[in-house]
Amino acid sequence: MGNLKKRSECPISSSLDIWGDKWSLLIVRDLMISKQCTYGDFLKSEEKIATNILASRLQMLEENDVITKQEHPESKAKVLYKLTQKGIDLLPLMIEINLWADKYFTMPPERRVMLEEVKKDKDAFIASKRIELL
Amino acid sequence: MGNLKKRSECPISSSLDIWGDKWSLLIVRDLMISKQCTYGDFLKSEEKIATNILASRLQMLEENDVITKQEHPESKAKVLYKLTQKGIDLLPLMIEINLWADKYFTMPPERRVMLEEVKKDKDAFIASKRIELL
DNA sequence: TAAATTCGCTTGCGTTTTGCAAGTGCAAAT
DNA sequence: ATTTGCACTTGCAAAACGCAAGCGAATTTA
């Protein structure tokens, strides 16, 4: 299944080999907003990812150490997904995507609040989010 | 062909709808390194993009105002592709990808030189690159 | 405690996208 | 006048995607 083949030694290319598709960064986004999600949580988010695609992306991201599975504290039937350090390190990237999008799309009001905070002091925002996610 | 359908109002998702695939950001990368490229230049880069895929991505990026076509000064047979302002604004994002990759992959030596400069003063680097690309 | 429901996936299958090779049409060089 | 270069286009097989249904284990409900 989701095994990685590098197209080149270029760091951009190698990065895209892992999360360069329409869905992976949305999974990362959900984990940055919610800190931890179950399989069902991902399915609920508004872009409506197909369940087989979700499964393959989660596997890919786990194999590449961007996310980890943990057992749910209150049920063996549930699984918790979280970002690893490598995943949390995508935070600056995600923020730059938001800033770019802010310039060229209309932002939903809730995101706007967060972005104001980011614009005030980007590094501080990243630092506090980083702690929050660990 | 490459027409855009938004999956949601989320800025991350909308961004990915434009350049969220394995190839688009490599085209942007080439244009950030070379400032302007011909169709043939893109084909030459080491990831070896298929010509039909290249054509569809160039069209998509142009439709979404990330790149523009210009006529080549010395030949009507050639076409020059350049980044628009919207494309140049992807620079901070590209730099964050590089920084992330720097942490988790081995970097080719030439990129290392650039990254040292970035680490010394990120904003200054972006500012000078910005001017260079216009 | 048996039956129904929840949860995290897997499977099948039709559709779309990708990747490779070959081809086309215009421009420029020979 | 003919060949070469350049920017694509076309055809087709293979892979990835998207949708719906199914499945086994864990949990809840009757």
Side-chain angles (χ1 to χ4, degrees):
Chain A
M1 249 261 168
N3 71 87
L4 185 64
K5 42 199 152 192
K6 267 190 163 190
R7 288 171 296 173
S8 78
E9 288 305 311
C10 167
I12 304 278
S13 164
S14 305
S15 301
L16 293 174
D17 287 337
I18 295 180
W19 46 256
D21 67 86
K22 295 234 172 303
W23 296 108
S24 296
L25 287 185
L26 295 184
I27 292 172
V28 172
R29 171 203 64 185
D30 287 351
L31 288 172
M32 282 179 175
I33 291 172
S34 300
K35 185 178 159 117
Q36 51 191 28
C37 299
T38 64
Y39 191 89
D41 289 337
F42 292 119
L43 286 178
K44 272 175 229 145
S45 58
E46 66 173 327
E47 291 84 9
K48 297 272 159 278
I49 187 171
T51 173
N52 54 339
I53 307 293
L54 176 59
S56 80
R57 288 304 173 284
L58 288 173
Q59 191 189 330
M60 176 68 131
L61 290 172
E62 204 193 352
E63 279 172 6
N64 286 287
D65 208 34
V66 174
I67 64 175
T68 20
K69 259 192 235 200
Q70 290 186 359
E71 56 181 37
H72 194 104
E74 52 191 54
S75 160
K76 274 183 188 171
K78 291 185 186 175
V79 178
L80 277 181
Y81 288 93
K82 290 190 64 176
L83 292 170
T84 60
Q85 187 56 56
K86 194 172 174 182
I88 294 173
D89 284 337
L90 287 169
L91 197 56
L93 168 44
M94 295 295 275
I95 285 173
E96 293 303 335
I97 299 178
N98 270 287
L99 288 170
W100 184 79
D102 181 45
K103 200 164 171 184
Y104 296 103
F105 300 114
T106 49
M107 289 296 253
E110 14 116 38
R111 289 292 176 89
R112 230 171 207 155
V113 179
M114 185 208 66
L115 266 192
E116 287 311 310
E117 209 182 325
V118 169
K119 284 176 192 167
K120 233 170 273 166
D121 188 340
K122 198 193 286 184
D123 291 341
F125 180 88
I126 292 175
S128 76
K129 254 295 182 190
R130 229 178 240 291
I131 291 164
E132 190 186 317
L133 288 172
L134 258 182
Chain B
M1 249 258 170
N3 73 86
L4 186 63
K5 43 198 150 194
K6 268 190 160 190
R7 287 172 294 172
S8 79
E9 288 304 310
C10 166
I12 304 279
S13 164
S14 305
S15 301
L16 293 174
D17 287 336
I18 295 180
W19 46 256
D21 67 87
K22 295 234 172 305
W23 296 106
S24 296
L25 288 185
L26 295 184
I27 292 172
V28 172
R29 171 203 64 184
D30 287 352
L31 287 171
M32 283 180 175
I33 292 172
S34 300
K35 185 179 160 116
Q36 51 191 29
C37 298
T38 63
Y39 191 89
D41 289 338
F42 292 119
L43 286 177
K44 273 175 228 146
S45 60
E46 66 172 327
E47 291 85 10
K48 296 274 159 277
I49 186 170
T51 173
N52 56 338
I53 307 294
L54 176 58
S56 80
R57 288 303 172 280
L58 288 173
Q59 190 189 331
M60 176 68 131
L61 290 172
E62 204 194 350
E63 279 171 6
N64 286 286
D65 208 34
V66 174
I67 64 175
T68 20
K69 261 193 232 197
Q70 291 186 357
E71 55 182 39
H72 194 104
E74 51 189 55
S75 160
K76 274 185 186 170
K78 291 184 184 173
V79 178
L80 278 181
Y81 289 93
K82 290 190 65 177
L83 293 169
T84 59
Q85 187 57 55
K86 194 172 174 183
I88 294 172
D89 285 336
L90 288 170
L91 197 57
L93 167 44
M94 294 295 275
I95 285 173
E96 293 304 335
I97 298 178
N98 270 286
L99 288 169
W100 185 78
D102 180 46
K103 200 164 172 184
Y104 296 103
F105 300 114
T106 49
M107 288 296 252
E110 15 116 38
R111 287 294 175 89
R112 229 170 208 156
V113 179
M114 186 208 65
L115 265 192
E116 287 312 310
E117 210 182 323
V118 169
K119 283 176 193 166
K120 231 171 274 166
D121 188 340
K122 198 193 286 184
D123 292 341
F125 181 88
I126 291 175
S128 76
K129 253 296 183 191
R130 228 178 241 290
I131 292 165
E132 190 187 318
L133 287 172
L134 259 182

